[in-house]
């Protein structure tokens, strides 16, 4: 489960956000369906997992927009994914490349002649919340961050979506999920730490259908820590499924290694 860190690092680089957010748009946009007010929370959760994407590989182009309130940046990148195994990202001309597996986060940046090769601590610090490969993949595919089957939820109907809140309210963390009724994919998922004024909100504006697959079309991520607010906008394009892929990645020689300081861990 995601856990908030005490603070996020100040040296946020757009190239790192490329590591886990993509922009690719293809196919028909799928609109929300009609709410069934006789459904149970258990049935909503069961259908959410029944509709989980079943694929071997995914590839396409992407654009990421990032803002921290004072700095706005945008970039297009290429994405390759092997489900449950690897996420590969490359900016134009290979200026920034990233390779993520369940046990490794690695990227290099030719503009700064630097690289990072380690675990998920770096990404967790940037996001302001601890995250692993499965949770990262869930964010990209419109699935719940963590397993909804592990808790019991109360069901209400909000904004034409099914809203799930845990029956057992956490003392330190609060969670909320909204699932859209057309494809039973996530519409909004929110994690908050009210006592420390921290909140992570992930909103899926709509979904697109590519052959038999339903994928997010636009994603908006907002991370709030006190008065600091970071936003990441994602939009998918030219996505293809189950094509043979390779994942070329090699850290150039002579680059400086990014080493995390104690304050960043």
């Amino acid at each position: 489960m995601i856990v908030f860190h005490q603070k996020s690092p100040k040296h946020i680089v757009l190239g790192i956000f490329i590591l886990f957010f993509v922009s690719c748009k293809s196919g028909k946009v799928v609109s929300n369906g009609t709410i069934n007010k006789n459904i149970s929370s258990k049935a909503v959760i069961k259908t959410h997992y029944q509709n989980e994407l079943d694929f071997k590989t995914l590839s396409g182009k992407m654009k990421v927009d990032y803002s921290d309130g004072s700095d706005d940046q945008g970039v297009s990148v290429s994405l390759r994914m092997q489900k449950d195994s690897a996420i590969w990202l490359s900016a134009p001309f290979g200026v920034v490349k990233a390779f993520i597996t369940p046990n490794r986060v690695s990227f290099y940046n030719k503009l700064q002649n630097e690289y990072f090769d380690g675990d998920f601590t770096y990404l967790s610090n940037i996001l302001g919340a601890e995250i692993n490969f499965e949770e990262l993949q869930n964010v990209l595919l419109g699935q719940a961050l963590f397993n909804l089957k592990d808790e019991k939820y109360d069901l209400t109907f909000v904004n034409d979506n099914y809203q799930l809140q845990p029956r057992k309210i956490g003392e330190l963390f609060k969670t909320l999920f909204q699932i859209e009724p057309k494809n039973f994919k996530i519409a909004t998922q929110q994690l908050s730490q009210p006592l420390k004024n921290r909140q992570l909100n992930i909103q899926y504006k709509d979904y697109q259908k590519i052959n038999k697959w339903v994928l997010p079309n636009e994603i908006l991520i907002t991370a709030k820590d006190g008065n600091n607010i970071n936003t990441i906008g994602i939009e998918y394009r030219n996505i293809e499924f189950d094509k043979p892929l390779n994942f070329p990645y090699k850290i150039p020689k002579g680059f400086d290694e990014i080493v995390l300081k104690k304050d960043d861990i």
Side-chain angles (χ1 to χ4, degrees):
M1 177 176 175
I2 283 186
V3 178
F4 284 94
H5 282 288
Q6 285 297 100
K7 62 179 180 178
S8 301
K10 304 297 183 183
H11 53 287
I12 296 179
V13 182
L14 179 64
I16 312 307
F17 282 101
I18 293 174
L19 287 172
F20 54 104
F21 293 112
V22 295
S23 147
C24 317
K25 189 175 183 181
S26 173
K28 181 181 178 182
V29 172
V30 178
S31 60
N32 287 349
T34 302
I35 286 285
N36 175 9
K37 293 196 173 182
N38 294 317
I39 199 170
S40 66
S41 60
K42 186 176 180 180
V44 170
I45 293 170
K46 180 179 179 180
T47 309
H48 174 64
Y49 287 105
Q50 286 177 338
N51 289 1
E52 187 173 2
L53 280 175
D54 182 17
F55 66 93
K56 294 180 180 179
T57 66
L58 177 157
S59 60
K61 295 289 184 180
M62 47 193 176
K63 181 194 171 209
V64 182
D65 294 309
Y66 165 72
S67 174
D68 62 4
S70 59
D71 185 26
D72 299 318
Q73 300 183 54
V75 69
S76 293
V77 298
S78 297
L79 164 71
R80 298 178 186 180
M81 180 188 295
Q82 183 172 327
K83 192 177 182 186
D84 302 326
S85 299
I87 298 172
W88 177 96
L89 297 150
S90 178
F93 308 110
V95 173
V96 177
K97 272 192 178 182
F99 186 56
I100 305 170
T101 66
N103 298 315
R104 181 189 182 197
V105 171
S106 185
F107 74 90
Y108 62 80
N109 186 337
K110 290 183 178 179
L111 296 178
Q112 271 87 33
N113 287 342
E114 62 184 11
Y115 75 92
F116 177 81
D117 193 30
D119 59 22
F120 273 81
T121 303
Y122 201 105
L123 292 189
S124 298
N125 286 344
I126 289 170
L127 189 57
E130 188 174 313
I131 191 168
N132 60 34
F133 184 90
E134 182 181 5
E135 292 163 344
L136 169 58
Q137 182 176 259
N138 286 344
V139 169
L140 297 177
L141 300 179
Q143 288 297 118
L145 278 165
F146 46 88
N147 196 341
L148 298 177
K149 299 174 184 177
D150 291 342
E151 294 191 52
K152 293 184 178 180
Y153 290 84
D154 289 324
L155 175 65
T156 54
F157 310 100
V158 178
N159 299 326
D160 295 322
N161 294 313
Y162 300 112
Q163 180 164 292
L164 300 169
Q165 286 185 289
R167 290 181 185 175
K168 185 178 179 181
I169 304 299
E171 294 182 4
L172 299 177
F173 300 96
K174 298 184 183 300
T175 59
L176 179 148
F177 301 90
Q178 288 187 9
I179 295 177
E180 52 85 19
K182 175 71 175 182
N183 306 287
F184 285 81
K185 306 290 284 183
I186 292 291
T188 299
Q189 44 191 337
Q190 185 181 104
L191 294 85
S192 62
Q193 196 175 7
L195 293 178
K196 297 189 177 180
N197 194 21
R198 296 187 184 122
Q199 186 177 94
L200 177 65
N201 189 77
I202 305 171
Q203 180 183 0
Y204 299 82
K205 294 187 176 182
D206 50 37
Y207 282 83
Q208 56 182 308
K209 190 168 185 179
I210 306 169
N211 298 324
K212 65 178 181 179
W213 294 282
V214 175
L215 190 72
N217 191 47
E218 292 184 47
I219 308 173
L220 178 64
I221 297 139
T222 305
K224 178 181 178 183
D225 186 353
N227 294 323
N228 298 318
I229 299 176
N230 297 323
T231 61
I232 305 164
I234 304 151
E235 187 183 341
Y236 288 84
R237 282 183 190 152
N238 303 326
I239 289 292
E240 295 181 289
F241 287 92
D242 289 347
K243 290 182 61 179
L245 298 177
N246 55 26
F247 299 87
Y249 183 81
K250 184 178 181 180
I251 298 171
K253 292 182 179 180
F255 278 29
D256 296 325
E257 183 179 4
I258 296 173
V259 179
L260 296 181
K261 299 177 182 178
K262 283 187 177 181
D263 290 344
D264 293 334
I265 298 176

